[in-house]
Amino acid sequence: LTFIVVTHDQEEAMTMADRMAVMDKGRIIQVGTPTETYEAPNSKYIADFIGTINLFEGEVIKAANGNVEIAGKSGFVMNVANGGDAAKGNNVWFGVRPEKLRISSAKPKNAVTNAVEGEVWEIGYLGDVTTFHIKLADGMIAKVATLNASRTSAEQLTWGDRAWISFSPDAGIVLTK
């Protein structure tokens, strides 16, 4: 049985749909499974519209075989495995979901790329998840979501602390439009 549901509730759309279409001003922008739409948005609009995402702006300084290196405006270099068709010199956004970021008080070992330091600006303890808002040097607020898999944490970051956020090269996606 096929049926169409029109909703403005993202959670409803993501849980009910086998396939979903996201529209903007009466035009279909992307069609795919909820997983495809969330994990592989085809534009900055979709990335920002579906769920929560960090969008780091920058310029591609190297590109080969889908891998790109981006000089970010937030003051760090991103080495990304999901570069799509981005070419050297392109201005792009790198989108990475909060749950794909790692946070620590110490700089990650061997972190030449994919790591930036900031200040803990806000913390939200939600029981199963803690969300951290990290203010970067350029004023951008990056959001990090950590799973509270154990009752206590060895590292207790708090407001005003310096913190490093980092991610793996395949954690996000490069968006050119």
Side-chain angles (χ1 to χ4, degrees):
L1 183 64
T2 301
F3 65 96
I4 296 173
V5 174
V6 178
T7 183
H8 292 99
D9 183 328
Q10 287 184 22
E11 186 175 333
E12 181 177 59
M14 299 283 280
T15 57
M16 289 181 59
D18 292 323
R19 295 183 50 78
M20 57 190 276
V22 179
M23 299 179 74
D24 181 35
K25 298 177 184 147
R27 286 186 4 183
I28 294 176
I29 306 297
Q30 182 169 349
V31 177
T33 66
T35 301
E36 291 166 346
T37 306
Y38 184 81
E39 298 291 350
N42 67 6
S43 67
K44 182 181 173 209
Y45 174 81
I46 297 292
D48 199 34
F49 183 75
I50 299 293
T52 302
I53 196 162
N54 296 290
L55 291 167
F56 297 101
E57 188 175 2
E59 180 181 337
V60 176
I61 52 178
K62 289 182 188 174
N65 303 321
N67 295 311
V68 297
E69 199 165 283
I70 303 165
K73 291 190 176 182
S74 294
F76 70 110
V77 175
M78 295 164 267
N79 184 345
V80 181
N82 302 315
D85 60 0
K88 185 177 178 180
N90 285 159
N91 287 317
V92 296
W93 293 272
F94 175 65
V96 61
R97 303 285 180 185
E99 67 274 11
K100 308 274 196 275
L101 292 174
R102 295 180 296 269
I103 187 169
S104 67
S105 60
K107 183 176 183 178
K109 291 181 180 168
N110 304 319
V112 177
T113 62
N114 300 355
V116 63
E117 186 181 28
E119 178 185 352
V120 177
W121 197 250
E122 187 176 319
I123 303 170
Y125 179 80
L126 304 173
D128 58 342
V129 174
T130 298
T131 58
F132 294 89
H133 293 220
I134 308 300
K135 186 174 184 180
L136 306 180
D138 68 348
M140 179 184 170
I141 305 291
K143 297 168 202 77
V144 182
T146 61
L147 182 63
N148 296 324
S150 61
R151 289 188 51 239
T152 61
S153 173
E155 183 170 49
Q156 296 291 325
L157 290 167
T158 192
W159 292 270
D161 284 351
R162 300 301 295 168
W164 283 86
I165 58 173
S166 61
F167 53 90
S168 63
D170 65 349
I173 189 164
V174 174
L175 302 163
T176 57
K177 57 180 180 172

